[in-house]
Amino acid sequence: MMASFELRQIFKRFGPVEVIHGIDLDIADGEFVVFVGPSGCGKSTLLRMIAGLEGITAGEILIDGEVVNDVPAVKRGLAMVFQSYALYPHMSVRKNLSFGLETMRAPKHEIKERVAQAAEILQIEELLDRRPGQLSGGQRQRVAIGRAIVREPKIFLFDEPLSNLDAELRMQMRVEINKLHRRLGTTMTFVTHDQVEAMTLADRIVVLRAGVVEQVGTPLDLYNHPANLFVAGFIGSPRMNFLEGAVTGVESGVAEIALKTGGTLRRRIDGRQPSGDVTVGVRPEAIMLTDATEAATTGEVQIAEQLGGETFVYLGLTSGEPLTVEIKGQAQVKLTSTVGLKFDEDALHLFDSDGRSLIDTRAMATAAA
Ligand code: ADP
Ligand code: MG
């Protein structure tokens, strides 16, 4: 079973406080969409409104083209998986899986079949006679997902389902959920504050901030072409570096930027004419350590993290701004030494004082190709 859904100008107020400020969104049949944003930005509220567990102050929610505002949760054909698992502690795993179907008076043989199939998909067959208290966190989360699977929902709604798991298990379950989506092909909506989870799971990411959609796009679209400072800083780890500067001139489609920390950068631009104070955004992998003659500016090495496959170098600039550089492989850098910094200038982002992107990096990328 599959379904598309649509949000039209969704608002939510709790008493006098408005927490969702008019969200529009179109999700295609079979799509895996991830809502990502900091704690408190309204992710759970939005998901609960889609599920029908929370009323909508204004706007419309459509599933397969039908407005479902007044359709109760149980009739929407959706299944939600929570961070807290919400399993029945006194019931066996088997009963936890079948209980919902039994209350819906599904035929016995069908219940048995669906439970067996869900247990097989999630590899929890040996756990069926245990109780939740006898399971590890990861196993409990599988059961919670199994309980959603047996309902054969039109849409899965996941609310931070991996947040209680340790790092290793999170990664495993991430892969499992990815496989599950491939296998079932069902529309999935997943909420998380973890941008890595968002990047790895999503067909499309919706970046939320304080009840507003900041940007919607594929993971690489958001990574390569952030529309504003918030998205630029939120997507990517280690995060994008931000350097204060000012545009000192534009000539033949190239802007010249004087950095506050000293040194000059050049960035090809499109039709727009940036001027005045700007924030330069540059990802750690777009900076190279170099000797003084080629350097745009310099910095002092404060910390070097050797991860084996790559090295993260944390520097302090003369301006006091921090800078992170990612070097492929095992780079030898001397702590407290002053090093030259060279920038891949086609990878620079420019933001105005309101944090909006000043250049159409997408158009610029096509022009360069
Ligand atoms: P997230 O899931 O992104 O962390 P939530 O959707 O839980 O955020 O919360 C969004 C905002 O709405 C927060 O400011 C929160 O305090 C508020 N909020 C959530 N639920 C309620 C409620 N039942 N009553 C009042 N305020 C609420
Ligand atoms: Mg939440």
Side-chain angles (χ1 to χ4, degrees):
M1 275 235 256
M2 292 160 77
S4 61
F5 73 93
E6 207 178 312
L7 307 181
R8 287 190 191 154
Q9 280 299 296
I10 296 292
F11 287 83
K12 178 65 182 179
R13 267 196 303 275
F14 289 109
V17 185
E18 187 174 283
V19 298
I20 302 283
H21 312 290
I23 288 185
D24 289 296
L25 203 63
D26 236 323
I27 303 304
D29 208 7
E31 202 172 355
F32 199 133
V33 61
V34 177
F35 292 96
V36 69
S39 177
C41 71
K43 305 180 295 292
S44 295
T45 302
L46 201 55
L47 210 62
R48 290 169 57 78
M49 288 194 287
I50 297 167
L53 300 172
E54 191 77 70
I56 306 162
T57 305
E60 286 182 330
I61 294 179
L62 292 85
I63 297 176
D64 280 338
E66 304 273 345
V67 177
V68 297
N69 288 27
D70 298 325
V71 178
V74 289
K75 296 253 171 74
R76 290 194 190 183
L78 318 180
M80 192 143 165
V81 180
F82 301 91
Q83 176 180 349
S84 62
Y85 316 135
L87 301 176
Y88 301 109
H90 59 284
M91 291 182 191
S92 68
V93 168
R94 189 190 313 278
K95 191 76 178 169
N96 264 283
L97 293 177
S98 64
F99 187 68
L101 297 176
E102 283 161 12
T103 55
M104 287 190 286
R105 303 191 181 282
K108 276 211 169 61
H109 68 273
E110 193 180 324
I111 296 176
K112 212 172 153 191
E113 219 167 86
R114 287 202 205 174
V115 168
Q117 198 193 6
E120 190 255 320
I121 290 175
L122 294 165
Q123 294 165 3
I124 51 173
E125 288 128 311
E126 318 83 73
L127 308 178
L128 285 173
D129 295 315
R130 292 201 202 163
R131 290 194 178 185
Q134 301 167 305
L135 303 177
S136 71
Q139 290 169 333
R140 270 178 234 174
Q141 191 51 268
R142 277 170 201 271
V143 177
I145 294 170
R147 206 171 43 178
I149 291 176
V150 296
R151 296 179 55 187
E152 300 184 348
K154 286 198 266 189
I155 303 172
F156 283 88
L157 305 170
F158 294 97
D159 191 354
E160 311 228 20
L162 309 183
S163 296
N164 286 343
L165 306 178
D166 64 46
E168 181 72 18
L169 209 50
R170 278 172 84 131
M171 212 152 72
Q172 277 177 27
M173 284 306 293
R174 215 164 72 201
V175 173
E176 295 290 320
I177 289 174
N178 235 327
K179 284 188 189 158
L180 186 68
H181 180 243
R182 280 173 188 241
R183 175 161 176 173
L184 301 177
T186 311
T187 312
M188 292 191 176
T189 306
F190 190 104
V191 154
T192 179
H193 63 274
D194 179 342
Q195 59 91 22
V196 176
E197 244 166 57
M199 290 291 279
T200 51
L201 285 171
D203 293 321
R204 275 197 304 162
I205 297 176
V206 179
V207 181
L208 284 174
R209 176 202 203 181
V212 172
V213 173
E214 291 281 324
Q215 195 173 353
V216 182
T218 65
L220 288 184
D221 204 23
L222 298 190
Y223 189 85
N224 294 327
H225 311 296
N228 54 54
L229 266 180
F230 180 77
V231 175
F234 196 78
I235 301 286
S237 172
R239 62 187 242 129
M240 187 186 282
N241 296 289
F242 296 124
L243 302 174
E244 296 310 317
V247 174
T248 50
V250 178
E251 207 175 312
S252 330
V254 176
E256 196 173 85
I257 304 130
L259 294 177
K260 181 178 158 204
T261 194
T264 303
L265 299 177
R266 283 169 196 83
R267 177 61 164 113
R268 292 186 306 123
I269 53 166
D270 49 55
R272 279 171 280 183
Q273 298 284 313
S275 64
D277 290 345
V278 292
T279 301
V280 178
V282 55
R283 297 231 178 252
E285 69 267 25
I287 311 172
M288 289 134 282
L289 303 190
T290 179
D291 56 45
T293 54
E294 292 191 299
T297 190
T298 60
E300 190 190 280
V301 177
Q302 293 174 337
I303 291 172
E305 290 178 347
Q306 298 283 355
L307 277 80
E310 65 262 305
T311 309
F312 295 133
V313 183
Y314 299 91
L315 303 116
L317 304 182
T318 316
S319 58
E321 293 164 311
L323 190 84
T324 309
V325 178
E326 177 178 347
I327 304 170
K328 284 273 152 275
Q330 303 173 6
Q332 296 309 317
V333 285
K334 212 161 123 234
L335 295 187
T336 73
S337 65
T338 296
V339 294
L341 298 163
K342 198 175 130 189
F343 296 76
D344 173 359
E345 294 187 325
D346 279 340
L348 298 180
H349 298 263
L350 293 186
F351 302 96
D352 66 17
S353 51
D354 292 326
R356 281 185 303 247
S357 177
L358 273 167
I359 44 177
D360 184 350
T361 51
R362 203 176 279 109
M364 299 309 290
T366 322

